[in-house]
Amino acid sequence: QVQLQESGPGLVKPSGTLSLTCAVSGGSISSSNWWSWVRQPPGKGLEWIGEIYHSGSTNYNPSLKSRVTISVDKSKNQFSLKLSSVTAADTAVYYCARDIGADGYFDLWGRGTLVTVSS
Amino acid sequence: QSVLTQPPSVSGAPGQRVTISCTGSSSNIGAGYDVHWYQQLPGTAPKLLIYGNSNRPSGVPDRFSGSKSGTSASLAISGLQAEDEADYYCQSYDSSLSGSVFGGGTKLTVL
């Protein structure tokens, strides 16, 4: 059974770079799926950040595109998120998810990790 | 200001039926893209509830059903149970944004 697990620092300083990794276990990241990052500010709704295919192809939310980089490491069966120039508005629970289909849906989610932006 | 619009809250008594609407536009739902629904219990990750407008993943009770028409979609929950109290989100693809979009979420309260 495929599982996703996010990891990374829970506290990032303003203007710094948020870095998270999503480990895929029980299956291969090179399967025919896209892999996404979704975030949720405290008490608010869900926001899609971007996605990556095992080939390295990416798509990003236009509102975050200038600050986001998503990469894949097939040797470690994981994918990563980097968000630069963070502010308090980037404080959120960050989820990684498996993305199914052409106009995909997210059938599998990690438990999420809270990242707080504060000095 | 989500791309997809949902009511902030709905409520119903145990055993009743409630519906949650999700309104989009010609660049997402109206363009023919599928709508998907998620249930988020307090303190947990979202869980896929309905995919492809009306399909239930294995394990989701048939009390949950989805439909789509024009630029809108709906999630219906019949035979309400206390355990259904959660936040519900719709999601689709938007061609003008070239990516996934979510509704703002609807909090379901079981009275």
Side-chain angles (χ1 to χ4, degrees), chain B residues 9-37:
Chain B
S9 63
V10 297
S11 63
Q16 285 189 332
R17 179 179 186 270
V18 297
T19 61
I20 298 172
S21 61
C22 175
T23 302
S25 67
S26 59
S27 62
N28 42 68
I29 300 175
Y33 295 108
D34 286 343
V35 178
H36 321 293
W37 292 89

mmCIF file with all atom_site columns, all heavy atoms in Angstrom, chain B residues 9-37:
data_model
loop_
_atom_site.group_PDB
_atom_site.id
_atom_site.type_symbol
_atom_site.label_atom_id
_atom_site.label_alt_id
_atom_site.label_comp_id
_atom_site.label_asym_id
_atom_site.label_entity_id
_atom_site.label_seq_id
_atom_site.pdbx_PDB_ins_code
_atom_site.Cartn_x
_atom_site.Cartn_y
_atom_site.Cartn_z
_atom_site.occupancy
_atom_site.B_iso_or_equiv
_atom_site.pdbx_formal_charge
_atom_site.auth_seq_id
_atom_site.auth_comp_id
_atom_site.auth_asym_id
_atom_site.auth_atom_id
_atom_site.pdbx_PDB_model_num
ATOM 1   N N   . SER B 1 9  ? -21.080 27.147 5.121   1.00 0.00 ? 9  SER B N   1
ATOM 2   C CA  . SER B 1 9  ? -21.585 26.164 6.073   1.00 0.00 ? 9  SER B CA  1
ATOM 3   C C   . SER B 1 9  ? -22.948 25.629 5.651   1.00 0.00 ? 9  SER B C   1
ATOM 4   O O   . SER B 1 9  ? -23.709 26.303 4.958   1.00 0.00 ? 9  SER B O   1
ATOM 5   C CB  . SER B 1 9  ? -21.688 26.782 7.470   1.00 0.00 ? 9  SER B CB  1
ATOM 6   O OG  . SER B 1 9  ? -22.626 27.839 7.479   1.00 0.00 ? 9  SER B OG  1
ATOM 7   N N   . VAL B 1 10 ? -23.217 24.397 6.061   1.00 0.00 ? 10 VAL B N   1
ATOM 8   C CA  . VAL B 1 10 ? -24.527 23.771 5.927   1.00 0.00 ? 10 VAL B CA  1
ATOM 9   C C   . VAL B 1 10 ? -24.745 22.959 7.196   1.00 0.00 ? 10 VAL B C   1
ATOM 10  O O   . VAL B 1 10 ? -23.782 22.619 7.901   1.00 0.00 ? 10 VAL B O   1
ATOM 11  C CB  . VAL B 1 10 ? -24.644 22.852 4.690   1.00 0.00 ? 10 VAL B CB  1
ATOM 12  C CG1 . VAL B 1 10 ? -24.474 23.638 3.398   1.00 0.00 ? 10 VAL B CG1 1
ATOM 13  C CG2 . VAL B 1 10 ? -23.667 21.700 4.769   1.00 0.00 ? 10 VAL B CG2 1
ATOM 14  N N   . SER B 1 11 ? -25.990 22.659 7.466   1.00 0.00 ? 11 SER B N   1
ATOM 15  C CA  . SER B 1 11 ? -26.283 21.847 8.649   1.00 0.00 ? 11 SER B CA  1
ATOM 16  C C   . SER B 1 11 ? -27.509 20.988 8.403   1.00 0.00 ? 11 SER B C   1
ATOM 17  O O   . SER B 1 11 ? -28.325 21.277 7.518   1.00 0.00 ? 11 SER B O   1
ATOM 18  C CB  . SER B 1 11 ? -26.486 22.737 9.874   1.00 0.00 ? 11 SER B CB  1
ATOM 19  O OG  . SER B 1 11 ? -27.603 23.583 9.696   1.00 0.00 ? 11 SER B OG  1
ATOM 20  N N   . GLY B 1 12 ? -27.624 19.944 9.205   1.00 0.00 ? 12 GLY B N   1
ATOM 21  C CA  . GLY B 1 12 ? -28.776 19.063 9.095   1.00 0.00 ? 12 GLY B CA  1
ATOM 22  C C   . GLY B 1 12 ? -28.845 18.151 10.296  1.00 0.00 ? 12 GLY B C   1
ATOM 23  O O   . GLY B 1 12 ? -27.831 17.919 10.969  1.00 0.00 ? 12 GLY B O   1
ATOM 24  N N   . ALA B 1 13 ? -30.019 17.640 10.552  1.00 0.00 ? 13 ALA B N   1
ATOM 25  C CA  . ALA B 1 13 ? -30.216 16.722 11.670  1.00 0.00 ? 13 ALA B CA  1
ATOM 26  C C   . ALA B 1 13 ? -29.856 15.310 11.251  1.00 0.00 ? 13 ALA B C   1
ATOM 27  O O   . ALA B 1 13 ? -29.865 14.985 10.057  1.00 0.00 ? 13 ALA B O   1
ATOM 28  C CB  . ALA B 1 13 ? -31.675 16.781 12.128  1.00 0.00 ? 13 ALA B CB  1
ATOM 29  N N   . PRO B 1 14 ? -29.536 14.479 12.210  1.00 0.00 ? 14 PRO B N   1
ATOM 30  C CA  . PRO B 1 14 ? -29.245 13.074 11.880  1.00 0.00 ? 14 PRO B CA  1
ATOM 31  C C   . PRO B 1 14 ? -30.368 12.448 11.081  1.00 0.00 ? 14 PRO B C   1
ATOM 32  O O   . PRO B 1 14 ? -31.559 12.648 11.381  1.00 0.00 ? 14 PRO B O   1
ATOM 33  C CB  . PRO B 1 14 ? -29.098 12.416 13.261  1.00 0.00 ? 14 PRO B CB  1
ATOM 34  C CG  . PRO B 1 14 ? -28.634 13.526 14.136  1.00 0.00 ? 14 PRO B CG  1
ATOM 35  C CD  . PRO B 1 14 ? -29.351 14.750 13.642  1.00 0.00 ? 14 PRO B CD  1
ATOM 36  N N   . GLY B 1 15 ? -29.980 11.721 10.025  1.00 0.00 ? 15 GLY B N   1
ATOM 37  C CA  . GLY B 1 15 ? -30.953 11.072 9.176   1.00 0.00 ? 15 GLY B CA  1
ATOM 38  C C   . GLY B 1 15 ? -31.413 11.897 7.995   1.00 0.00 ? 15 GLY B C   1
ATOM 39  O O   . GLY B 1 15 ? -31.952 11.352 7.020   1.00 0.00 ? 15 GLY B O   1
ATOM 40  N N   . GLN B 1 16 ? -31.183 13.205 8.058   1.00 0.00 ? 16 GLN B N   1
ATOM 41  C CA  . GLN B 1 16 ? -31.612 14.078 6.970   1.00 0.00 ? 16 GLN B CA  1
ATOM 42  C C   . GLN B 1 16 ? -30.643 14.029 5.803   1.00 0.00 ? 16 GLN B C   1
ATOM 43  O O   . GLN B 1 16 ? -29.575 13.407 5.866   1.00 0.00 ? 16 GLN B O   1
ATOM 44  C CB  . GLN B 1 16 ? -31.756 15.517 7.477   1.00 0.00 ? 16 GLN B CB  1
ATOM 45  C CG  . GLN B 1 16 ? -32.983 15.767 8.332   1.00 0.00 ? 16 GLN B CG  1
ATOM 46  C CD  . GLN B 1 16 ? -33.186 17.255 8.614   1.00 0.00 ? 16 GLN B CD  1
ATOM 47  O OE1 . GLN B 1 16 ? -32.233 18.041 8.637   1.00 0.00 ? 16 GLN B OE1 1
ATOM 48  N NE2 . GLN B 1 16 ? -34.439 17.631 8.849   1.00 0.00 ? 16 GLN B NE2 1
ATOM 49  N N   . ARG B 1 17 ? -31.027 14.721 4.731   1.00 0.00 ? 17 ARG B N   1
ATOM 50  C CA  . ARG B 1 17 ? -30.194 14.832 3.530   1.00 0.00 ? 17 ARG B CA  1
ATOM 51  C C   . ARG B 1 17 ? -29.775 16.287 3.362   1.00 0.00 ? 17 ARG B C   1
ATOM 52  O O   . ARG B 1 17 ? -30.598 17.198 3.525   1.00 0.00 ? 17 ARG B O   1
ATOM 53  C CB  . ARG B 1 17 ? -30.978 14.371 2.306   1.00 0.00 ? 17 ARG B CB  1
ATOM 54  C CG  . ARG B 1 17 ? -30.229 14.451 0.980   1.00 0.00 ? 17 ARG B CG  1
ATOM 55  C CD  . ARG B 1 17 ? -31.124 13.932 -0.153  1.00 0.00 ? 17 ARG B CD  1
ATOM 56  N NE  . ARG B 1 17 ? -30.443 13.846 -1.448  1.00 0.00 ? 17 ARG B NE  1
ATOM 57  C CZ  . ARG B 1 17 ? -30.395 14.817 -2.331  1.00 0.00 ? 17 ARG B CZ  1
ATOM 58  N NH1 . ARG B 1 17 ? -30.966 15.985 -2.064  1.00 0.00 ? 17 ARG B NH1 1
ATOM 59  N NH2 . ARG B 1 17 ? -29.748 14.650 -3.491  1.00 0.00 ? 17 ARG B NH2 1
ATOM 60  N N   . VAL B 1 18 ? -28.496 16.486 3.056   1.00 0.00 ? 18 VAL B N   1
ATOM 61  C CA  . VAL B 1 18 ? -28.006 17.832 2.794   1.00 0.00 ? 18 VAL B CA  1
ATOM 62  C C   . VAL B 1 18 ? -27.259 17.824 1.458   1.00 0.00 ? 18 VAL B C   1
ATOM 63  O O   . VAL B 1 18 ? -26.762 16.779 1.018   1.00 0.00 ? 18 VAL B O   1
ATOM 64  C CB  . VAL B 1 18 ? -27.064 18.354 3.900   1.00 0.00 ? 18 VAL B CB  1
ATOM 65  C CG1 . VAL B 1 18 ? -27.806 18.463 5.231   1.00 0.00 ? 18 VAL B CG1 1
ATOM 66  C CG2 . VAL B 1 18 ? -25.827 17.481 4.036   1.00 0.00 ? 18 VAL B CG2 1
ATOM 67  N N   . THR B 1 19 ? -27.204 18.988 0.841   1.00 0.00 ? 19 THR B N   1
ATOM 68  C CA  . THR B 1 19 ? -26.416 19.128 -0.383  1.00 0.00 ? 19 THR B CA  1
ATOM 69  C C   . THR B 1 19 ? -25.459 20.305 -0.234  1.00 0.00 ? 19 THR B C   1
ATOM 70  O O   . THR B 1 19 ? -25.769 21.298 0.428   1.00 0.00 ? 19 THR B O   1
ATOM 71  C CB  . THR B 1 19 ? -27.307 19.348 -1.620  1.00 0.00 ? 19 THR B CB  1
ATOM 72  O OG1 . THR B 1 19 ? -28.050 20.550 -1.453  1.00 0.00 ? 19 THR B OG1 1
ATOM 73  C CG2 . THR B 1 19 ? -28.253 18.180 -1.819  1.00 0.00 ? 19 THR B CG2 1
ATOM 74  N N   . ILE B 1 20 ? -24.311 20.163 -0.863  1.00 0.00 ? 20 ILE B N   1
ATOM 75  C CA  . ILE B 1 20 ? -23.295 21.218 -0.888  1.00 0.00 ? 20 ILE B CA  1
ATOM 76  C C   . ILE B 1 20 ? -23.016 21.553 -2.343  1.00 0.00 ? 20 ILE B C   1
ATOM 77  O O   . ILE B 1 20 ? -22.694 20.652 -3.134  1.00 0.00 ? 20 ILE B O   1
ATOM 78  C CB  . ILE B 1 20 ? -22.003 20.753 -0.188  1.00 0.00 ? 20 ILE B CB  1
ATOM 79  C CG1 . ILE B 1 20 ? -22.282 20.438 1.287   1.00 0.00 ? 20 ILE B CG1 1
ATOM 80  C CG2 . ILE B 1 20 ? -20.929 21.821 -0.307  1.00 0.00 ? 20 ILE B CG2 1
ATOM 81  C CD1 . ILE B 1 20 ? -21.113 19.796 2.014   1.00 0.00 ? 20 ILE B CD1 1
ATOM 82  N N   . SER B 1 21 ? -23.130 22.825 -2.673  1.00 0.00 ? 21 SER B N   1
ATOM 83  C CA  . SER B 1 21 ? -22.938 23.241 -4.061  1.00 0.00 ? 21 SER B CA  1
ATOM 84  C C   . SER B 1 21 ? -21.507 23.714 -4.297  1.00 0.00 ? 21 SER B C   1
ATOM 85  O O   . SER B 1 21 ? -20.793 24.114 -3.367  1.00 0.00 ? 21 SER B O   1
ATOM 86  C CB  . SER B 1 21 ? -23.914 24.357 -4.414  1.00 0.00 ? 21 SER B CB  1
ATOM 87  O OG  . SER B 1 21 ? -23.681 25.485 -3.581  1.00 0.00 ? 21 SER B OG  1
ATOM 88  N N   . CYS B 1 22 ? -21.112 23.662 -5.542  1.00 0.00 ? 22 CYS B N   1
ATOM 89  C CA  . CYS B 1 22 ? -19.775 24.092 -5.973  1.00 0.00 ? 22 CYS B CA  1
ATOM 90  C C   . CYS B 1 22 ? -19.955 24.771 -7.330  1.00 0.00 ? 22 CYS B C   1
ATOM 91  O O   . CYS B 1 22 ? -20.291 24.094 -8.308  1.00 0.00 ? 22 CYS B O   1
ATOM 92  C CB  . CYS B 1 22 ? -18.852 22.888 -6.063  1.00 0.00 ? 22 CYS B CB  1
ATOM 93  S SG  . CYS B 1 22 ? -17.191 23.225 -6.718  1.00 0.00 ? 22 CYS B SG  1
ATOM 94  N N   . THR B 1 23 ? -19.773 26.068 -7.360  1.00 0.00 ? 23 THR B N   1
ATOM 95  C CA  . THR B 1 23 ? -20.012 26.822 -8.587  1.00 0.00 ? 23 THR B CA  1
ATOM 96  C C   . THR B 1 23 ? -18.705 27.305 -9.204  1.00 0.00 ? 23 THR B C   1
ATOM 97  O O   . THR B 1 23 ? -17.892 27.928 -8.520  1.00 0.00 ? 23 THR B O   1
ATOM 98  C CB  . THR B 1 23 ? -20.920 28.025 -8.307  1.00 0.00 ? 23 THR B CB  1
ATOM 99  O OG1 . THR B 1 23 ? -22.146 27.562 -7.747  1.00 0.00 ? 23 THR B OG1 1
ATOM 100 C CG2 . THR B 1 23 ? -21.213 28.788 -9.594  1.00 0.00 ? 23 THR B CG2 1
ATOM 101 N N   . GLY B 1 24 ? -18.542 27.028 -10.470 1.00 0.00 ? 24 GLY B N   1
ATOM 102 C CA  . GLY B 1 24 ? -17.330 27.418 -11.178 1.00 0.00 ? 24 GLY B CA  1
ATOM 103 C C   . GLY B 1 24 ? -17.616 28.339 -12.337 1.00 0.00 ? 24 GLY B C   1
ATOM 104 O O   . GLY B 1 24 ? -18.528 29.171 -12.263 1.00 0.00 ? 24 GLY B O   1
ATOM 105 N N   . SER B 1 25 ? -16.867 28.162 -13.422 1.00 0.00 ? 25 SER B N   1
ATOM 106 C CA  . SER B 1 25 ? -17.000 29.038 -14.585 1.00 0.00 ? 25 SER B CA  1
ATOM 107 C C   . SER B 1 25 ? -16.661 28.282 -15.866 1.00 0.00 ? 25 SER B C   1
ATOM 108 O O   . SER B 1 25 ? -16.428 27.072 -15.840 1.00 0.00 ? 25 SER B O   1
ATOM 109 C CB  . SER B 1 25 ? -16.075 30.242 -14.422 1.00 0.00 ? 25 SER B CB  1
ATOM 110 O OG  . SER B 1 25 ? -14.719 29.814 -14.475 1.00 0.00 ? 25 SER B OG  1
ATOM 111 N N   . SER B 1 26 ? -16.617 29.026 -16.954 1.00 0.00 ? 26 SER B N   1
ATOM 112 C CA  . SER B 1 26 ? -16.375 28.411 -18.258 1.00 0.00 ? 26 SER B CA  1
ATOM 113 C C   . SER B 1 26 ? -14.951 27.925 -18.452 1.00 0.00 ? 26 SER B C   1
ATOM 114 O O   . SER B 1 26 ? -14.657 27.251 -19.446 1.00 0.00 ? 26 SER B O   1
ATOM 115 C CB  . SER B 1 26 ? -16.727 29.414 -19.365 1.00 0.00 ? 26 SER B CB  1
ATOM 116 O OG  . SER B 1 26 ? -15.945 30.588 -19.212 1.00 0.00 ? 26 SER B OG  1
ATOM 117 N N   . SER B 1 27 ? -14.066 28.250 -17.527 1.00 0.00 ? 27 SER B N   1
ATOM 118 C CA  . SER B 1 27 ? -12.678 27.788 -17.657 1.00 0.00 ? 27 SER B CA  1
ATOM 119 C C   . SER B 1 27 ? -12.403 26.562 -16.791 1.00 0.00 ? 27 SER B C   1
ATOM 120 O O   . SER B 1 27 ? -11.308 26.007 -16.837 1.00 0.00 ? 27 SER B O   1
ATOM 121 C CB  . SER B 1 27 ? -11.686 28.903 -17.290 1.00 0.00 ? 27 SER B CB  1
ATOM 122 O OG  . SER B 1 27 ? -11.851 29.300 -15.951 1.00 0.00 ? 27 SER B OG  1
ATOM 123 N N   . ASN B 1 28 ? -13.371 26.140 -16.021 1.00 0.00 ? 28 ASN B N   1
ATOM 124 C CA  . ASN B 1 28 ? -13.160 24.947 -15.199 1.00 0.00 ? 28 ASN B CA  1
ATOM 125 C C   . ASN B 1 28 ? -14.347 23.980 -15.334 1.00 0.00 ? 28 ASN B C   1
ATOM 126 O O   . ASN B 1 28 ? -14.395 23.209 -16.311 1.00 0.00 ? 28 ASN B O   1
ATOM 127 C CB  . ASN B 1 28 ? -12.856 25.310 -13.748 1.00 0.00 ? 28 ASN B CB  1
ATOM 128 C CG  . ASN B 1 28 ? -13.734 26.439 -13.202 1.00 0.00 ? 28 ASN B CG  1
ATOM 129 O OD1 . ASN B 1 28 ? -14.934 26.269 -13.018 1.00 0.00 ? 28 ASN B OD1 1
ATOM 130 N ND2 . ASN B 1 28 ? -13.120 27.596 -12.962 1.00 0.00 ? 28 ASN B ND2 1
ATOM 131 N N   . ILE B 1 29 ? -15.293 24.038 -14.448 1.00 0.00 ? 29 ILE B N   1
ATOM 132 C CA  . ILE B 1 29 ? -16.402 23.084 -14.505 1.00 0.00 ? 29 ILE B CA  1
ATOM 133 C C   . ILE B 1 29 ? -17.160 23.206 -15.814 1.00 0.00 ? 29 ILE B C   1
ATOM 134 O O   . ILE B 1 29 ? -17.511 22.207 -16.462 1.00 0.00 ? 29 ILE B O   1
ATOM 135 C CB  . ILE B 1 29 ? -17.342 23.282 -13.302 1.00 0.00 ? 29 ILE B CB  1
ATOM 136 C CG1 . ILE B 1 29 ? -16.598 23.059 -11.986 1.00 0.00 ? 29 ILE B CG1 1
ATOM 137 C CG2 . ILE B 1 29 ? -18.528 22.314 -13.403 1.00 0.00 ? 29 ILE B CG2 1
ATOM 138 C CD1 . ILE B 1 29 ? -17.422 23.356 -10.732 1.00 0.00 ? 29 ILE B CD1 1
ATOM 139 N N   . GLY B 1 30 ? -17.430 24.437 -16.230 1.00 0.00 ? 30 GLY B N   1
ATOM 140 C CA  . GLY B 1 30 ? -18.182 24.673 -17.465 1.00 0.00 ? 30 GLY B CA  1
ATOM 141 C C   . GLY B 1 30 ? -17.451 24.250 -18.721 1.00 0.00 ? 30 GLY B C   1
ATOM 142 O O   . GLY B 1 30 ? -18.077 24.057 -19.781 1.00 0.00 ? 30 GLY B O   1
ATOM 143 N N   . ALA B 1 31 ? -16.148 24.075 -18.627 1.00 0.00 ? 31 ALA B N   1
ATOM 144 C CA  . ALA B 1 31 ? -15.348 23.639 -19.767 1.00 0.00 ? 31 ALA B CA  1
ATOM 145 C C   . ALA B 1 31 ? -15.362 22.120 -19.908 1.00 0.00 ? 31 ALA B C   1
ATOM 146 O O   . ALA B 1 31 ? -14.744 21.577 -20.829 1.00 0.00 ? 31 ALA B O   1
ATOM 147 C CB  . ALA B 1 31 ? -13.922 24.136 -19.626 1.00 0.00 ? 31 ALA B CB  1
ATOM 148 N N   . GLY B 1 32 ? -16.027 21.462 -18.974 1.00 0.00 ? 32 GLY B N   1
ATOM 149 C CA  . GLY B 1 32 ? -16.137 20.014 -19.050 1.00 0.00 ? 32 GLY B CA  1
ATOM 150 C C   . GLY B 1 32 ? -15.185 19.244 -18.148 1.00 0.00 ? 32 GLY B C   1
ATOM 151 O O   . GLY B 1 32 ? -15.175 18.016 -18.161 1.00 0.00 ? 32 GLY B O   1
ATOM 152 N N   . TYR B 1 33 ? -14.400 19.963 -17.360 1.00 0.00 ? 33 TYR B N   1
ATOM 153 C CA  . TYR B 1 33 ? -13.476 19.275 -16.458 1.00 0.00 ? 33 TYR B CA  1
ATOM 154 C C   . TYR B 1 33 ? -14.249 18.648 -15.294 1.00 0.00 ? 33 TYR B C   1
ATOM 155 O O   . TYR B 1 33 ? -15.235 19.195 -14.808 1.00 0.00 ? 33 TYR B O   1
ATOM 156 C CB  . TYR B 1 33 ? -12.407 20.230 -15.949 1.00 0.00 ? 33 TYR B CB  1
ATOM 157 C CG  . TYR B 1 33 ? -11.498 20.724 -17.054 1.00 0.00 ? 33 TYR B CG  1
ATOM 158 C CD1 . TYR B 1 33 ? -11.580 22.042 -17.509 1.00 0.00 ? 33 TYR B CD1 1
ATOM 159 C CD2 . TYR B 1 33 ? -10.574 19.871 -17.648 1.00 0.00 ? 33 TYR B CD2 1
ATOM 160 C CE1 . TYR B 1 33 ? -10.762 22.493 -18.539 1.00 0.00 ? 33 TYR B CE1 1
ATOM 161 C CE2 . TYR B 1 33 ? -9.756  20.320 -18.671 1.00 0.00 ? 33 TYR B CE2 1
ATOM 162 C CZ  . TYR B 1 33 ? -9.861  21.624 -19.115 1.00 0.00 ? 33 TYR B CZ  1
ATOM 163 O OH  . TYR B 1 33 ? -9.045  22.063 -20.132 1.00 0.00 ? 33 TYR B OH  1
ATOM 164 N N   . ASP B 1 34 ? -13.745 17.500 -14.878 1.00 0.00 ? 34 ASP B N   1
ATOM 165 C CA  . ASP B 1 34 ? -14.409 16.778 -13.794 1.00 0.00 ? 34 ASP B CA  1
ATOM 166 C C   . ASP B 1 34 ? -14.298 17.517 -12.466 1.00 0.00 ? 34 ASP B C   1
ATOM 167 O O   . ASP B 1 34 ? -13.371 18.291 -12.229 1.00 0.00 ? 34 ASP B O   1
ATOM 168 C CB  . ASP B 1 34 ? -13.775 15.389 -13.629 1.00 0.00 ? 34 ASP B CB  1
ATOM 169 C CG  . ASP B 1 34 ? -14.173 14.433 -14.736 1.00 0.00 ? 34 ASP B CG  1
ATOM 170 O OD1 . ASP B 1 34 ? -15.169 14.711 -15.442 1.00 0.00 ? 34 ASP B OD1 1
ATOM 171 O OD2 . ASP B 1 34 ? -13.484 13.403 -14.878 1.00 0.00 ? 34 ASP B OD2 1
ATOM 172 N N   . VAL B 1 35 ? -15.253 17.230 -11.587 1.00 0.00 ? 35 VAL B N   1
ATOM 173 C CA  . VAL B 1 35 ? -15.261 17.768 -10.232 1.00 0.00 ? 35 VAL B CA  1
ATOM 174 C C   . VAL B 1 35 ? -15.041 16.619 -9.250  1.00 0.00 ? 35 VAL B C   1
ATOM 175 O O   . VAL B 1 35 ? -15.593 15.521 -9.420  1.00 0.00 ? 35 VAL B O   1
ATOM 176 C CB  . VAL B 1 35 ? -16.586 18.483 -9.927  1.00 0.00 ? 35 VAL B CB  1
ATOM 177 C CG1 . VAL B 1 35 ? -16.587 19.001 -8.474  1.00 0.00 ? 35 VAL B CG1 1
ATOM 178 C CG2 . VAL B 1 35 ? -16.806 19.637 -10.895 1.00 0.00 ? 35 VAL B CG2 1
ATOM 179 N N   . HIS B 1 36 ? -14.232 16.881 -8.255  1.00 0.00 ? 36 HIS B N   1
ATOM 180 C CA  . HIS B 1 36 ? -13.907 15.884 -7.248  1.00 0.00 ? 36 HIS B CA  1
ATOM 181 C C   . HIS B 1 36 ? -14.196 16.480 -5.867  1.00 0.00 ? 36 HIS B C   1
ATOM 182 O O   . HIS B 1 36 ? -14.128 17.704 -5.687  1.00 0.00 ? 36 HIS B O   1
ATOM 183 C CB  . HIS B 1 36 ? -12.436 15.475 -7.353  1.00 0.00 ? 36 HIS B CB  1
ATOM 184 C CG  . HIS B 1 36 ? -11.946 15.366 -8.767  1.00 0.00 ? 36 HIS B CG  1
ATOM 185 N ND1 . HIS B 1 36 ? -12.418 14.389 -9.631  1.00 0.00 ? 36 HIS B ND1 1
ATOM 186 C CD2 . HIS B 1 36 ? -11.072 16.127 -9.481  1.00 0.00 ? 36 HIS B CD2 1
ATOM 187 C CE1 . HIS B 1 36 ? -11.839 14.547 -10.817 1.00 0.00 ? 36 HIS B CE1 1
ATOM 188 N NE2 . HIS B 1 36 ? -11.021 15.601 -10.757 1.00 0.00 ? 36 HIS B NE2 1
ATOM 189 N N   . TRP B 1 37 ? -14.512 15.625 -4.914  1.00 0.00 ? 37 TRP B N   1
ATOM 190 C CA  . TRP B 1 37 ? -14.877 16.084 -3.573  1.00 0.00 ? 37 TRP B CA  1
ATOM 191 C C   . TRP B 1 37 ? -14.021 15.401 -2.515  1.00 0.00 ? 37 TRP B C   1
ATOM 192 O O   . TRP B 1 37 ? -13.697 14.209 -2.626  1.00 0.00 ? 37 TRP B O   1
ATOM 193 C CB  . TRP B 1 37 ? -16.343 15.784 -3.293  1.00 0.00 ? 37 TRP B CB  1
ATOM 194 C CG  . TRP B 1 37 ? -17.305 16.576 -4.127  1.00 0.00 ? 37 TRP B CG  1
ATOM 195 C CD1 . TRP B 1 37 ? -17.812 16.236 -5.351  1.00 0.00 ? 37 TRP B CD1 1
ATOM 196 C CD2 . TRP B 1 37 ? -17.879 17.850 -3.795  1.00 0.00 ? 37 TRP B CD2 1
ATOM 197 N NE1 . TRP B 1 37 ? -18.662 17.223 -5.802  1.00 0.00 ? 37 TRP B NE1 1
ATOM 198 C CE2 . TRP B 1 37 ? -18.723 18.218 -4.855  1.00 0.00 ? 37 TRP B CE2 1
ATOM 199 C CE3 . TRP B 1 37 ? -17.775 18.707 -2.694  1.00 0.00 ? 37 TRP B CE3 1
ATOM 200 C CZ2 . TRP B 1 37 ? -19.455 19.413 -4.860  1.00 0.00 ? 37 TRP B CZ2 1
ATOM 201 C CZ3 . TRP B 1 37 ? -18.500 19.887 -2.692  1.00 0.00 ? 37 TRP B CZ3 1
ATOM 202 C CH2 . TRP B 1 37 ? -19.327 20.233 -3.763  1.00 0.00 ? 37 TRP B CH2 1
#
